[in-house]
Every structure is written in structure tokens, then in C-alpha cells.
Amino acid sequence: MIIEKEIEKVIKKKDYDFWTFLEKAYESGVKLDMGHFILLNILIEIPKLYEKLSKEIGEEKSKEIFRNYKIFAKDSNYISGEFLKKYINRKSRVAVHNRIKDLKKLGFEIESKSGAFGGYKIIGFPEWFKK
């Protein structure tokens, strides 16, 4: 498994009911851009990719690979803001934080941790969202 190719698949995934998403955003006063969808894809799919890789080569090696690619923050399973900002073509983690805040307004439960061991992890989904 080549991590870069798998991440590229994650980024380009388009499995959402766009109109429902747009309707919920409108109702919540959230202005969407592609960054929201890319972040959501990453938050949903990267843990699955990690789990799959862990089964293939073991958890420790998987964690090491994810840390080397700077996907996970330090020794945590939280996806780093630095990693996320790279995929939405922004120079600031504030852009990531703002989009995460928007996703939370839409009903997604996303844990955030600050600091070296920080990052983001999706822990729940709104009823209207079909994974």
C-alpha cells in the first residue's frame, strides 16, 4: 500500500448527498467550500486507512508511518492540523479550525486537541448524514 496514493483517493472521494449537505449548510448559515468536504473525507477515511494498515503490518509500524507522513500529531491518533491545511491549500491552521467549526455547526462531532499531541478526530455524525 502506497500511502500517497491512498490519501489521494481519500481526498477525491465524492460519496456525499450534495443537496442535503447544501441544505443543512444553508439552514445553519454555513458557507461551504471544497475544503469542508476534503477535511471531512480525511477525518472519516484516514482512521479507516490506519486500521487497514495496522491489520496488514501491525499497529506500531502503522503509527510510525503515519507519524513520518505527519498525518498524526506526535504520539496520538489525532489528525494533525498541519497535515490538514496542506490538503485544503491554506497557509494557516486557522483555516482548518474555521472549517472544523463549520462542520460542528452542521452536527458533526469532532474532537479537537491543541498542542503537540493535538489535532482532530471525528467521533460522531449528524442523523442526516449517511456515511
PDB file of all heavy atoms in Angstrom, residues 52-89:
ATOM      1  N   LYS A  52      -6.763  -0.396   8.504  1.00  0.00           N
ATOM      2  CA  LYS A  52      -6.432  -1.370   7.458  1.00  0.00           C
ATOM      3  C   LYS A  52      -4.923  -1.654   7.450  1.00  0.00           C
ATOM      4  O   LYS A  52      -4.502  -2.811   7.408  1.00  0.00           O
ATOM      5  CB  LYS A  52      -6.874  -0.817   6.102  1.00  0.00           C
ATOM      6  CG  LYS A  52      -6.572  -1.707   4.929  1.00  0.00           C
ATOM      7  CD  LYS A  52      -7.031  -1.046   3.631  1.00  0.00           C
ATOM      8  CE  LYS A  52      -6.582  -1.831   2.432  1.00  0.00           C
ATOM      9  NZ  LYS A  52      -6.877  -1.141   1.175  1.00  0.00           N
ATOM     10  N   LEU A  53      -4.135  -0.612   7.506  1.00  0.00           N
ATOM     11  CA  LEU A  53      -2.681  -0.762   7.511  1.00  0.00           C
ATOM     12  C   LEU A  53      -2.214  -1.493   8.770  1.00  0.00           C
ATOM     13  O   LEU A  53      -1.318  -2.341   8.707  1.00  0.00           O
ATOM     14  CB  LEU A  53      -2.015   0.612   7.406  1.00  0.00           C
ATOM     15  CG  LEU A  53      -0.528   0.642   7.116  1.00  0.00           C
ATOM     16  CD1 LEU A  53      -0.224  -0.011   5.765  1.00  0.00           C
ATOM     17  CD2 LEU A  53      -0.009   2.068   7.125  1.00  0.00           C
ATOM     18  N   SER A  54      -2.829  -1.196   9.900  1.00  0.00           N
ATOM     19  CA  SER A  54      -2.482  -1.855  11.161  1.00  0.00           C
ATOM     20  C   SER A  54      -2.701  -3.361  11.084  1.00  0.00           C
ATOM     21  O   SER A  54      -1.911  -4.138  11.621  1.00  0.00           O
ATOM     22  CB  SER A  54      -3.304  -1.283  12.316  1.00  0.00           C
ATOM     23  OG  SER A  54      -2.916   0.031  12.578  1.00  0.00           O
ATOM     24  N   LYS A  55      -3.765  -3.771  10.408  1.00  0.00           N
ATOM     25  CA  LYS A  55      -4.035  -5.200  10.249  1.00  0.00           C
ATOM     26  C   LYS A  55      -2.992  -5.858   9.351  1.00  0.00           C
ATOM     27  O   LYS A  55      -2.649  -7.018   9.539  1.00  0.00           O
ATOM     28  CB  LYS A  55      -5.436  -5.421   9.681  1.00  0.00           C
ATOM     29  CG  LYS A  55      -6.527  -5.161  10.686  1.00  0.00           C
ATOM     30  CD  LYS A  55      -7.900  -5.355  10.091  1.00  0.00           C
ATOM     31  CE  LYS A  55      -8.965  -5.009  11.132  1.00  0.00           C
ATOM     32  NZ  LYS A  55     -10.304  -5.010  10.558  1.00  0.00           N
ATOM     33  N   GLU A  56      -2.509  -5.097   8.368  1.00  0.00           N
ATOM     34  CA  GLU A  56      -1.534  -5.644   7.426  1.00  0.00           C
ATOM     35  C   GLU A  56      -0.120  -5.716   8.002  1.00  0.00           C
ATOM     36  O   GLU A  56       0.567  -6.717   7.810  1.00  0.00           O
ATOM     37  CB  GLU A  56      -1.499  -4.797   6.144  1.00  0.00           C
ATOM     38  CG  GLU A  56      -2.734  -4.939   5.294  1.00  0.00           C
ATOM     39  CD  GLU A  56      -2.710  -4.017   4.078  1.00  0.00           C
ATOM     40  OE1 GLU A  56      -1.652  -3.443   3.739  1.00  0.00           O
ATOM     41  OE2 GLU A  56      -3.785  -3.866   3.456  1.00  0.00           O
ATOM     42  N   ILE A  57       0.306  -4.653   8.686  1.00  0.00           N
ATOM     43  CA  ILE A  57       1.718  -4.609   9.127  1.00  0.00           C
ATOM     44  C   ILE A  57       1.896  -4.397  10.623  1.00  0.00           C
ATOM     45  O   ILE A  57       3.022  -4.337  11.104  1.00  0.00           O
ATOM     46  CB  ILE A  57       2.509  -3.527   8.360  1.00  0.00           C
ATOM     47  CG1 ILE A  57       1.976  -2.126   8.672  1.00  0.00           C
ATOM     48  CG2 ILE A  57       2.513  -3.805   6.875  1.00  0.00           C
ATOM     49  CD1 ILE A  57       2.849  -1.009   8.147  1.00  0.00           C
ATOM     50  N   GLY A  58       0.820  -4.261  11.349  1.00  0.00           N
ATOM     51  CA  GLY A  58       0.900  -4.061  12.791  1.00  0.00           C
ATOM     52  C   GLY A  58       0.723  -2.599  13.173  1.00  0.00           C
ATOM     53  O   GLY A  58       1.027  -1.693  12.395  1.00  0.00           O
ATOM     54  N   GLU A  59       0.247  -2.416  14.384  1.00  0.00           N
ATOM     55  CA  GLU A  59      -0.086  -1.069  14.859  1.00  0.00           C
ATOM     56  C   GLU A  59       1.135  -0.167  15.010  1.00  0.00           C
ATOM     57  O   GLU A  59       1.107   1.002  14.620  1.00  0.00           O
ATOM     58  CB  GLU A  59      -0.846  -1.160  16.182  1.00  0.00           C
ATOM     59  CG  GLU A  59      -1.509   0.135  16.547  1.00  0.00           C
ATOM     60  CD  GLU A  59      -2.463   0.008  17.713  1.00  0.00           C
ATOM     61  OE1 GLU A  59      -2.914  -1.115  18.022  1.00  0.00           O
ATOM     62  OE2 GLU A  59      -2.747   1.047  18.314  1.00  0.00           O
ATOM     63  N   GLU A  60       2.213  -0.687  15.560  1.00  0.00           N
ATOM     64  CA  GLU A  60       3.403   0.151  15.784  1.00  0.00           C
ATOM     65  C   GLU A  60       3.999   0.667  14.475  1.00  0.00           C
ATOM     66  O   GLU A  60       4.330   1.843  14.361  1.00  0.00           O
ATOM     67  CB  GLU A  60       4.463  -0.605  16.596  1.00  0.00           C
ATOM     68  CG  GLU A  60       4.141  -0.718  18.065  1.00  0.00           C
ATOM     69  CD  GLU A  60       3.829   0.616  18.725  1.00  0.00           C
ATOM     70  OE1 GLU A  60       4.628   1.575  18.563  1.00  0.00           O
ATOM     71  OE2 GLU A  60       2.777   0.717  19.380  1.00  0.00           O
ATOM     72  N   LYS A  61       4.121  -0.221  13.483  1.00  0.00           N
ATOM     73  CA  LYS A  61       4.661   0.200  12.186  1.00  0.00           C
ATOM     74  C   LYS A  61       3.722   1.195  11.511  1.00  0.00           C
ATOM     75  O   LYS A  61       4.174   2.153  10.888  1.00  0.00           O
ATOM     76  CB  LYS A  61       4.904  -1.002  11.277  1.00  0.00           C
ATOM     77  CG  LYS A  61       6.124  -1.797  11.635  1.00  0.00           C
ATOM     78  CD  LYS A  61       6.359  -2.903  10.628  1.00  0.00           C
ATOM     79  CE  LYS A  61       7.574  -3.734  11.038  1.00  0.00           C
ATOM     80  NZ  LYS A  61       7.814  -4.832  10.105  1.00  0.00           N
ATOM     81  N   SER A  62       2.439   0.966  11.635  1.00  0.00           N
ATOM     82  CA  SER A  62       1.446   1.870  11.048  1.00  0.00           C
ATOM     83  C   SER A  62       1.540   3.251  11.681  1.00  0.00           C
ATOM     84  O   SER A  62       1.524   4.268  10.991  1.00  0.00           O
ATOM     85  CB  SER A  62       0.036   1.324  11.228  1.00  0.00           C
ATOM     86  OG  SER A  62      -0.092   0.092  10.582  1.00  0.00           O
ATOM     87  N   LYS A  63       1.640   3.270  12.998  1.00  0.00           N
ATOM     88  CA  LYS A  63       1.759   4.545  13.716  1.00  0.00           C
ATOM     89  C   LYS A  63       3.021   5.290  13.273  1.00  0.00           C
ATOM     90  O   LYS A  63       2.999   6.498  13.077  1.00  0.00           O
ATOM     91  CB  LYS A  63       1.788   4.294  15.222  1.00  0.00           C
ATOM     92  CG  LYS A  63       0.960   5.261  16.002  1.00  0.00           C
ATOM     93  CD  LYS A  63       0.884   4.891  17.451  1.00  0.00           C
ATOM     94  CE  LYS A  63      -0.545   5.102  17.881  1.00  0.00           C
ATOM     95  NZ  LYS A  63      -0.808   4.849  19.247  1.00  0.00           N
ATOM     96  N   GLU A  64       4.091   4.554  13.119  1.00  0.00           N
ATOM     97  CA  GLU A  64       5.350   5.156  12.682  1.00  0.00           C
ATOM     98  C   GLU A  64       5.204   5.773  11.285  1.00  0.00           C
ATOM     99  O   GLU A  64       5.656   6.897  11.045  1.00  0.00           O
ATOM    100  CB  GLU A  64       6.456   4.097  12.673  1.00  0.00           C
ATOM    101  CG  GLU A  64       7.816   4.648  12.324  1.00  0.00           C
ATOM    102  CD  GLU A  64       8.882   3.561  12.331  1.00  0.00           C
ATOM    103  OE1 GLU A  64       8.749   2.590  13.097  1.00  0.00           O
ATOM    104  OE2 GLU A  64       9.839   3.696  11.548  1.00  0.00           O
ATOM    105  N   ILE A  65       4.567   5.054  10.381  1.00  0.00           N
ATOM    106  CA  ILE A  65       4.345   5.570   9.022  1.00  0.00           C
ATOM    107  C   ILE A  65       3.484   6.831   9.070  1.00  0.00           C
ATOM    108  O   ILE A  65       3.804   7.837   8.437  1.00  0.00           O
ATOM    109  CB  ILE A  65       3.682   4.494   8.121  1.00  0.00           C
ATOM    110  CG1 ILE A  65       4.700   3.388   7.819  1.00  0.00           C
ATOM    111  CG2 ILE A  65       3.142   5.114   6.835  1.00  0.00           C
ATOM    112  CD1 ILE A  65       4.103   2.152   7.169  1.00  0.00           C
ATOM    113  N   PHE A  66       2.415   6.795   9.843  1.00  0.00           N
ATOM    114  CA  PHE A  66       1.526   7.953   9.929  1.00  0.00           C
ATOM    115  C   PHE A  66       2.223   9.150  10.577  1.00  0.00           C
ATOM    116  O   PHE A  66       1.976  10.283  10.199  1.00  0.00           O
ATOM    117  CB  PHE A  66       0.232   7.582  10.674  1.00  0.00           C
ATOM    118  CG  PHE A  66      -0.814   7.013   9.781  1.00  0.00           C
ATOM    119  CD1 PHE A  66      -0.574   5.893   8.997  1.00  0.00           C
ATOM    120  CD2 PHE A  66      -2.066   7.582   9.697  1.00  0.00           C
ATOM    121  CE1 PHE A  66      -1.537   5.367   8.146  1.00  0.00           C
ATOM    122  CE2 PHE A  66      -3.052   7.067   8.865  1.00  0.00           C
ATOM    123  CZ  PHE A  66      -2.775   5.966   8.086  1.00  0.00           C
ATOM    124  N   ARG A  67       3.101   8.887  11.533  1.00  0.00           N
ATOM    125  CA  ARG A  67       3.872   9.985  12.135  1.00  0.00           C
ATOM    126  C   ARG A  67       4.886  10.526  11.139  1.00  0.00           C
ATOM    127  O   ARG A  67       5.079  11.739  11.040  1.00  0.00           O
ATOM    128  CB  ARG A  67       4.565   9.518  13.410  1.00  0.00           C
ATOM    129  CG  ARG A  67       3.670   9.563  14.624  1.00  0.00           C
ATOM    130  CD  ARG A  67       4.467   9.398  15.894  1.00  0.00           C
ATOM    131  NE  ARG A  67       5.217   8.152  15.910  1.00  0.00           N
ATOM    132  CZ  ARG A  67       4.874   7.063  16.566  1.00  0.00           C
ATOM    133  NH1 ARG A  67       3.794   7.063  17.306  1.00  0.00           N
ATOM    134  NH2 ARG A  67       5.592   5.977  16.519  1.00  0.00           N
ATOM    135  N   ASN A  68       5.556   9.641  10.402  1.00  0.00           N
ATOM    136  CA  ASN A  68       6.545  10.080   9.417  1.00  0.00           C
ATOM    137  C   ASN A  68       5.919  10.942   8.328  1.00  0.00           C
ATOM    138  O   ASN A  68       6.558  11.865   7.821  1.00  0.00           O
ATOM    139  CB  ASN A  68       7.273   8.893   8.789  1.00  0.00           C
ATOM    140  CG  ASN A  68       8.218   8.219   9.760  1.00  0.00           C
ATOM    141  OD1 ASN A  68       8.602   8.800  10.772  1.00  0.00           O
ATOM    142  ND2 ASN A  68       8.589   6.985   9.474  1.00  0.00           N
ATOM    143  N   TYR A  69       4.697  10.623   7.945  1.00  0.00           N
ATOM    144  CA  TYR A  69       3.969  11.426   6.952  1.00  0.00           C
ATOM    145  C   TYR A  69       3.282  12.625   7.601  1.00  0.00           C
ATOM    146  O   TYR A  69       2.571  13.369   6.935  1.00  0.00           O
ATOM    147  CB  TYR A  69       2.948  10.571   6.205  1.00  0.00           C
ATOM    148  CG  TYR A  69       3.554   9.785   5.073  1.00  0.00           C
ATOM    149  CD1 TYR A  69       3.989   8.479   5.268  1.00  0.00           C
ATOM    150  CD2 TYR A  69       3.713  10.357   3.813  1.00  0.00           C
ATOM    151  CE1 TYR A  69       4.553   7.751   4.228  1.00  0.00           C
ATOM    152  CE2 TYR A  69       4.277   9.639   2.777  1.00  0.00           C
ATOM    153  CZ  TYR A  69       4.698   8.340   2.984  1.00  0.00           C
ATOM    154  OH  TYR A  69       5.264   7.626   1.956  1.00  0.00           O
ATOM    155  N   LYS A  70       3.483  12.760   8.902  1.00  0.00           N
ATOM    156  CA  LYS A  70       2.910  13.854   9.690  1.00  0.00           C
ATOM    157  C   LYS A  70       1.379  13.903   9.604  1.00  0.00           C
ATOM    158  O   LYS A  70       0.773  14.959   9.636  1.00  0.00           O
ATOM    159  CB  LYS A  70       3.531  15.191   9.286  1.00  0.00           C
ATOM    160  CG  LYS A  70       5.036  15.215   9.531  1.00  0.00           C
ATOM    161  CD  LYS A  70       5.612  16.560   9.322  1.00  0.00           C
ATOM    162  CE  LYS A  70       7.089  16.669   9.483  1.00  0.00           C
ATOM    163  NZ  LYS A  70       7.884  15.702  10.066  1.00  0.00           N
ATOM    164  N   ILE A  71       0.791  12.717   9.495  1.00  0.00           N
ATOM    165  CA  ILE A  71      -0.671  12.603   9.481  1.00  0.00           C
ATOM    166  C   ILE A  71      -1.183  12.726  10.907  1.00  0.00           C
ATOM    167  O   ILE A  71      -2.107  13.490  11.178  1.00  0.00           O
ATOM    168  CB  ILE A  71      -1.120  11.260   8.853  1.00  0.00           C
ATOM    169  CG1 ILE A  71      -0.655  11.187   7.404  1.00  0.00           C
ATOM    170  CG2 ILE A  71      -2.636  11.097   8.967  1.00  0.00           C
ATOM    171  CD1 ILE A  71      -0.811   9.820   6.763  1.00  0.00           C
ATOM    172  N   PHE A  72      -0.559  11.966  11.803  1.00  0.00           N
ATOM    173  CA  PHE A  72      -0.916  12.031  13.211  1.00  0.00           C
ATOM    174  C   PHE A  72       0.022  12.998  13.925  1.00  0.00           C
ATOM    175  O   PHE A  72       1.193  13.096  13.597  1.00  0.00           O
ATOM    176  CB  PHE A  72      -0.785  10.658  13.876  1.00  0.00           C
ATOM    177  CG  PHE A  72      -1.867   9.674  13.535  1.00  0.00           C
ATOM    178  CD1 PHE A  72      -1.675   8.327  13.762  1.00  0.00           C
ATOM    179  CD2 PHE A  72      -3.080  10.068  12.994  1.00  0.00           C
ATOM    180  CE1 PHE A  72      -2.664   7.399  13.466  1.00  0.00           C
ATOM    181  CE2 PHE A  72      -4.071   9.156  12.690  1.00  0.00           C
ATOM    182  CZ  PHE A  72      -3.859   7.816  12.931  1.00  0.00           C
ATOM    183  N   ALA A  73      -0.528  13.669  14.919  1.00  0.00           N
ATOM    184  CA  ALA A  73       0.268  14.556  15.759  1.00  0.00           C
ATOM    185  C   ALA A  73       0.988  13.706  16.810  1.00  0.00           C
ATOM    186  O   ALA A  73       0.359  12.935  17.515  1.00  0.00           O
ATOM    187  CB  ALA A  73      -0.640  15.579  16.425  1.00  0.00           C
ATOM    188  N   LYS A  74       2.294  13.820  16.843  1.00  0.00           N
ATOM    189  CA  LYS A  74       3.164  13.114  17.811  1.00  0.00           C
ATOM    190  C   LYS A  74       2.692  11.690  18.083  1.00  0.00           C
ATOM    191  O   LYS A  74       2.519  10.920  17.167  1.00  0.00           O
ATOM    192  CB  LYS A  74       3.292  13.920  19.103  1.00  0.00           C
ATOM    193  CG  LYS A  74       3.935  15.258  18.921  1.00  0.00           C
ATOM    194  CD  LYS A  74       5.380  15.236  19.205  1.00  0.00           C
ATOM    195  CE  LYS A  74       5.938  16.632  19.040  1.00  0.00           C
ATOM    196  NZ  LYS A  74       7.293  16.735  19.312  1.00  0.00           N
ATOM    197  N   ASP A  75       2.419  11.371  19.354  1.00  0.00           N
ATOM    198  CA  ASP A  75       2.031  10.013  19.730  1.00  0.00           C
ATOM    199  C   ASP A  75       0.529   9.857  19.911  1.00  0.00           C
ATOM    200  O   ASP A  75       0.074   9.090  20.749  1.00  0.00           O
ATOM    201  CB  ASP A  75       2.744   9.601  21.032  1.00  0.00           C
ATOM    202  CG  ASP A  75       4.202   9.299  20.794  1.00  0.00           C
ATOM    203  OD1 ASP A  75       4.534   8.852  19.685  1.00  0.00           O
ATOM    204  OD2 ASP A  75       5.003   9.518  21.711  1.00  0.00           O
ATOM    205  N   SER A  76      -0.244  10.590  19.121  1.00  0.00           N
ATOM    206  CA  SER A  76      -1.697  10.475  19.266  1.00  0.00           C
ATOM    207  C   SER A  76      -2.306   9.954  17.970  1.00  0.00           C
ATOM    208  O   SER A  76      -1.623   9.812  16.967  1.00  0.00           O
ATOM    209  CB  SER A  76      -2.295  11.850  19.602  1.00  0.00           C
ATOM    210  OG  SER A  76      -2.357  12.662  18.448  1.00  0.00           O
ATOM    211  N   ASN A  77      -3.575   9.658  18.013  1.00  0.00           N
ATOM    212  CA  ASN A  77      -4.313   9.250  16.811  1.00  0.00           C
ATOM    213  C   ASN A  77      -5.167  10.402  16.295  1.00  0.00           C
ATOM    214  O   ASN A  77      -6.132  10.194  15.584  1.00  0.00           O
ATOM    215  CB  ASN A  77      -5.202   8.044  17.109  1.00  0.00           C
ATOM    216  CG  ASN A  77      -4.395   6.775  17.221  1.00  0.00           C
ATOM    217  OD1 ASN A  77      -3.185   6.786  17.089  1.00  0.00           O
ATOM    218  ND2 ASN A  77      -5.062   5.678  17.478  1.00  0.00           N
ATOM    219  N   TYR A  78      -4.801  11.613  16.669  1.00  0.00           N
ATOM    220  CA  TYR A  78      -5.480  12.801  16.180  1.00  0.00           C
ATOM    221  C   TYR A  78      -4.788  13.254  14.899  1.00  0.00           C
ATOM    222  O   TYR A  78      -3.561  13.273  14.820  1.00  0.00           O
ATOM    223  CB  TYR A  78      -5.441  13.921  17.221  1.00  0.00           C
ATOM    224  CG  TYR A  78      -6.413  13.694  18.344  1.00  0.00           C
ATOM    225  CD1 TYR A  78      -6.125  12.792  19.362  1.00  0.00           C
ATOM    226  CD2 TYR A  78      -7.618  14.369  18.382  1.00  0.00           C
ATOM    227  CE1 TYR A  78      -7.028  12.557  20.388  1.00  0.00           C
ATOM    228  CE2 TYR A  78      -8.523  14.151  19.404  1.00  0.00           C
ATOM    229  CZ  TYR A  78      -8.220  13.241  20.402  1.00  0.00           C
ATOM    230  OH  TYR A  78      -9.117  13.013  21.408  1.00  0.00           O
ATOM    231  N   ILE A  79      -5.579  13.609  13.897  1.00  0.00           N
ATOM    232  CA  ILE A  79      -5.023  14.038  12.619  1.00  0.00           C
ATOM    233  C   ILE A  79      -4.546  15.477  12.768  1.00  0.00           C
ATOM    234  O   ILE A  79      -5.305  16.351  13.193  1.00  0.00           O
ATOM    235  CB  ILE A  79      -6.065  13.893  11.493  1.00  0.00           C
ATOM    236  CG1 ILE A  79      -6.489  12.417  11.398  1.00  0.00           C
ATOM    237  CG2 ILE A  79      -5.503  14.395  10.174  1.00  0.00           C
ATOM    238  CD1 ILE A  79      -7.674  12.154  10.513  1.00  0.00           C
ATOM    239  N   SER A  80      -3.307  15.697  12.427  1.00  0.00           N
ATOM    240  CA  SER A  80      -2.683  16.993  12.691  1.00  0.00           C
ATOM    241  C   SER A  80      -3.249  18.100  11.803  1.00  0.00           C
ATOM    242  O   SER A  80      -3.568  17.891  10.631  1.00  0.00           O
ATOM    243  CB  SER A  80      -1.167  16.887  12.521  1.00  0.00           C
ATOM    244  OG  SER A  80      -0.740  17.365  11.289  1.00  0.00           O
ATOM    245  N   GLY A  81      -3.358  19.285  12.384  1.00  0.00           N
ATOM    246  CA  GLY A  81      -3.807  20.463  11.651  1.00  0.00           C
ATOM    247  C   GLY A  81      -2.846  20.815  10.528  1.00  0.00           C
ATOM    248  O   GLY A  81      -3.261  21.295   9.469  1.00  0.00           O
ATOM    249  N   GLU A  82      -1.562  20.581  10.747  1.00  0.00           N
ATOM    250  CA  GLU A  82      -0.546  20.828   9.707  1.00  0.00           C
ATOM    251  C   GLU A  82      -0.818  19.958   8.488  1.00  0.00           C
ATOM    252  O   GLU A  82      -0.723  20.419   7.360  1.00  0.00           O
ATOM    253  CB  GLU A  82       0.863  20.530  10.236  1.00  0.00           C
ATOM    254  CG  GLU A  82       1.451  21.597  11.102  1.00  0.00           C
ATOM    255  CD  GLU A  82       1.705  22.905  10.377  1.00  0.00           C
ATOM    256  OE1 GLU A  82       2.245  22.898   9.248  1.00  0.00           O
ATOM    257  OE2 GLU A  82       1.347  23.947  10.944  1.00  0.00           O
ATOM    258  N   PHE A  83      -1.121  18.701   8.722  1.00  0.00           N
ATOM    259  CA  PHE A  83      -1.439  17.777   7.635  1.00  0.00           C
ATOM    260  C   PHE A  83      -2.701  18.242   6.912  1.00  0.00           C
ATOM    261  O   PHE A  83      -2.739  18.296   5.679  1.00  0.00           O
ATOM    262  CB  PHE A  83      -1.628  16.358   8.191  1.00  0.00           C
ATOM    263  CG  PHE A  83      -2.056  15.355   7.168  1.00  0.00           C
ATOM    264  CD1 PHE A  83      -1.143  14.807   6.283  1.00  0.00           C
ATOM    265  CD2 PHE A  83      -3.375  14.940   7.093  1.00  0.00           C
ATOM    266  CE1 PHE A  83      -1.534  13.865   5.335  1.00  0.00           C
ATOM    267  CE2 PHE A  83      -3.779  13.998   6.152  1.00  0.00           C
ATOM    268  CZ  PHE A  83      -2.857  13.469   5.272  1.00  0.00           C
ATOM    269  N   LEU A  84      -3.719  18.598   7.655  1.00  0.00           N
ATOM    270  CA  LEU A  84      -4.989  19.009   7.063  1.00  0.00           C
ATOM    271  C   LEU A  84      -4.857  20.278   6.230  1.00  0.00           C
ATOM    272  O   LEU A  84      -5.414  20.358   5.134  1.00  0.00           O
ATOM    273  CB  LEU A  84      -6.042  19.198   8.158  1.00  0.00           C
ATOM    274  CG  LEU A  84      -6.479  17.933   8.880  1.00  0.00           C
ATOM    275  CD1 LEU A  84      -7.347  18.282  10.088  1.00  0.00           C
ATOM    276  CD2 LEU A  84      -7.208  16.988   7.949  1.00  0.00           C
ATOM    277  N   LYS A  85      -4.121  21.255   6.724  1.00  0.00           N
ATOM    278  CA  LYS A  85      -4.023  22.529   5.994  1.00  0.00           C
ATOM    279  C   LYS A  85      -3.365  22.349   4.631  1.00  0.00           C
ATOM    280  O   LYS A  85      -3.695  23.047   3.683  1.00  0.00           O
ATOM    281  CB  LYS A  85      -3.318  23.603   6.820  1.00  0.00           C
ATOM    282  CG  LYS A  85      -1.825  23.554   6.807  1.00  0.00           C
ATOM    283  CD  LYS A  85      -1.217  24.726   7.541  1.00  0.00           C
ATOM    284  CE  LYS A  85       0.284  24.681   7.366  1.00  0.00           C
ATOM    285  NZ  LYS A  85       0.955  25.748   8.026  1.00  0.00           N
ATOM    286  N   LYS A  86      -2.475  21.386   4.549  1.00  0.00           N
ATOM    287  CA  LYS A  86      -1.789  21.112   3.282  1.00  0.00           C
ATOM    288  C   LYS A  86      -2.786  20.700   2.199  1.00  0.00           C
ATOM    289  O   LYS A  86      -2.641  21.074   1.044  1.00  0.00           O
ATOM    290  CB  LYS A  86      -0.748  20.015   3.519  1.00  0.00           C
ATOM    291  CG  LYS A  86       0.028  19.579   2.321  1.00  0.00           C
ATOM    292  CD  LYS A  86       1.185  18.680   2.695  1.00  0.00           C
ATOM    293  CE  LYS A  86       0.717  17.299   3.081  1.00  0.00           C
ATOM    294  NZ  LYS A  86       1.825  16.357   3.295  1.00  0.00           N
ATOM    295  N   TYR A  87      -3.822  19.977   2.583  1.00  0.00           N
ATOM    296  CA  TYR A  87      -4.774  19.445   1.611  1.00  0.00           C
ATOM    297  C   TYR A  87      -5.900  20.406   1.250  1.00  0.00           C
ATOM    298  O   TYR A  87      -6.634  20.169   0.298  1.00  0.00           O
ATOM    299  CB  TYR A  87      -5.315  18.096   2.063  1.00  0.00           C
ATOM    300  CG  TYR A  87      -4.251  17.056   1.912  1.00  0.00           C
ATOM    301  CD1 TYR A  87      -3.463  16.664   2.982  1.00  0.00           C
ATOM    302  CD2 TYR A  87      -3.965  16.513   0.663  1.00  0.00           C
ATOM    303  CE1 TYR A  87      -2.445  15.748   2.830  1.00  0.00           C
ATOM    304  CE2 TYR A  87      -2.942  15.586   0.500  1.00  0.00           C
ATOM    305  CZ  TYR A  87      -2.194  15.214   1.587  1.00  0.00           C
ATOM    306  OH  TYR A  87      -1.174  14.313   1.426  1.00  0.00           O
ATOM    307  N   ILE A  88      -6.026  21.487   2.004  1.00  0.00           N
ATOM    308  CA  ILE A  88      -7.019  22.496   1.614  1.00  0.00           C
ATOM    309  C   ILE A  88      -6.323  23.746   1.062  1.00  0.00           C
ATOM    310  O   ILE A  88      -6.951  24.792   0.900  1.00  0.00           O
ATOM    311  CB  ILE A  88      -7.995  22.842   2.760  1.00  0.00           C
ATOM    312  CG1 ILE A  88      -7.276  23.414   3.968  1.00  0.00           C
ATOM    313  CG2 ILE A  88      -8.838  21.637   3.130  1.00  0.00           C
ATOM    314  CD1 ILE A  88      -8.212  24.018   5.007  1.00  0.00           C
ATOM    315  N   ASN A  89      -5.036  23.610   0.781  1.00  0.00           N
ATOM    316  CA  ASN A  89      -4.249  24.691   0.170  1.00  0.00           C
ATOM    317  C   ASN A  89      -4.327  26.004   0.940  1.00  0.00           C
ATOM    318  O   ASN A  89      -4.582  27.056   0.372  1.00  0.00           O
ATOM    319  CB  ASN A  89      -4.678  24.908  -1.285  1.00  0.00           C
ATOM    320  CG  ASN A  89      -4.345  23.727  -2.142  1.00  0.00           C
ATOM    321  OD1 ASN A  89      -3.295  23.111  -1.979  1.00  0.00           O
ATOM    322  ND2 ASN A  89      -5.242  23.379  -3.052  1.00  0.00           N
TER     323      ASN A  89
END
